Amino acid sequence: MPRIPFEPKPPDKVFSLATPNHLYYKLLWELQNLDTALKDKQSWQHSPAPYHAFNFAVTSAHLIDWVYATSDDKSRKRISDSLGNAPVDTRRKFRDAVATRYHEIYICVQIANGSKHYETQRHRDNDPNIGASAEWEYDESTDSAATVLRIRDGAASRLALDVFREAATAWDHLLGAWGYLEDRFVDGRDTD
């Protein structure tokens, strides 16, 4: 008879979510909501896209906290090994190790801190090379305008959705490698 896995109880101040993979699925949900909102032709003042971008960045940044909080010394050793033997014995070192190797997650941490704290100039981890903007842009090819969310990364400007997709892919890789996500069946058929 198959065994039904027991879901752990969530932390005291959390609604239902109890594990890093729960938070990861929330991350994917926010990414889907952002993608849908960006297709809507509302002005940036009325578009829910910035809210979903805010939530995605915060969720991505907080996945670091959730993995750290639910890991023990043995799993932290495995995590350290997967990050090139980077020290991960404190939450800050763990965050720095992940952010150093996965630039899109680093961007999410920067955007999350800016989103949560409003002003980050005095924040010791502030990177002035990272920025975010919501713009109302007209597209001549479709004769319509829409909200466009961009992330400034040094001299480059990238669509926020592209950066967030890469961050989600990085989290998928990391959480799978660390044993937080179940293996997926691959049958060789293209699902797209």
Side-chain angles (χ1 to χ4, degrees):
M1 170 167 271
R3 195 179 88 136
I4 298 173
F6 173 73
E7 286 290 327
K9 185 178 176 188
D12 186 42
K13 294 175 180 57
V14 179
F15 295 109
S16 189
L17 305 176
T19 66
N21 65 320
H22 290 158
L23 202 63
Y24 170 70
Y25 293 126
K26 178 189 179 302
L27 184 80
L28 297 180
W29 179 74
E30 289 296 351
L31 186 63
Q32 180 60 50
N33 288 338
L34 175 59
D35 187 37
T36 299
L38 287 170
K39 292 175 183 168
D40 192 355
K41 303 301 181 199
Q42 296 183 42
S43 71
W44 66 268
Q45 294 99 335
H46 302 290
S47 172
Y51 301 138
H52 296 300
F54 175 110
N55 289 342
F56 182 94
V58 170
T59 301
S60 179
H62 283 123
L63 260 166
I64 293 167
D65 298 326
W66 281 61
V67 170
Y68 187 82
T70 59
S71 61
D72 57 18
D73 289 340
K74 184 178 178 181
S75 59
R76 286 188 192 137
K77 170 69 172 113
R78 187 174 60 252
I79 289 168
S80 174
D81 291 346
S82 76
L83 295 171
N85 296 312
V88 296
D89 54 322
T90 67
R91 192 178 309 260
R92 175 174 284 283
K93 288 178 185 176
F94 178 57
R95 186 201 64 210
D96 291 347
V98 170
T100 297
R101 284 158 187 80
Y102 295 89
H103 188 67
E104 287 73 20
I105 294 174
Y106 170 78
I107 290 171
C108 289
V109 170
Q110 289 292 309
I111 300 298
N113 283 334
S115 297
K116 292 185 320 182
H117 303 296
Y118 183 75
E119 182 181 343
T120 59
Q121 281 75 20
R122 290 185 296 257
H123 196 272
R124 73 177 181 184
D125 293 324
N126 178 51
D127 182 345
N129 293 310
I130 305 295
S133 65
E135 302 161 4
W136 181 239
E137 292 184 4
Y138 178 75
D139 181 353
E140 289 182 24
S141 66
T142 62
D143 192 32
S144 64
T147 300
V148 177
L149 303 181
R150 296 190 189 284
I151 292 175
R152 180 179 40 80
D153 182 8
S157 175
R158 300 172 62 193
L159 293 175
L161 186 61
D162 293 343
V163 172
F164 292 162
R165 282 182 176 142
E166 291 176 31
T169 299
W171 274 119
D172 183 80
H173 168 75
L174 289 171
L175 294 172
W178 297 339
Y180 286 96
L181 298 178
E182 293 182 18
D183 289 335
R184 293 173 186 90
F185 175 72
V186 178
D187 67 1
R189 291 184 286 175
D190 188 6
T191 59
D192 289 337

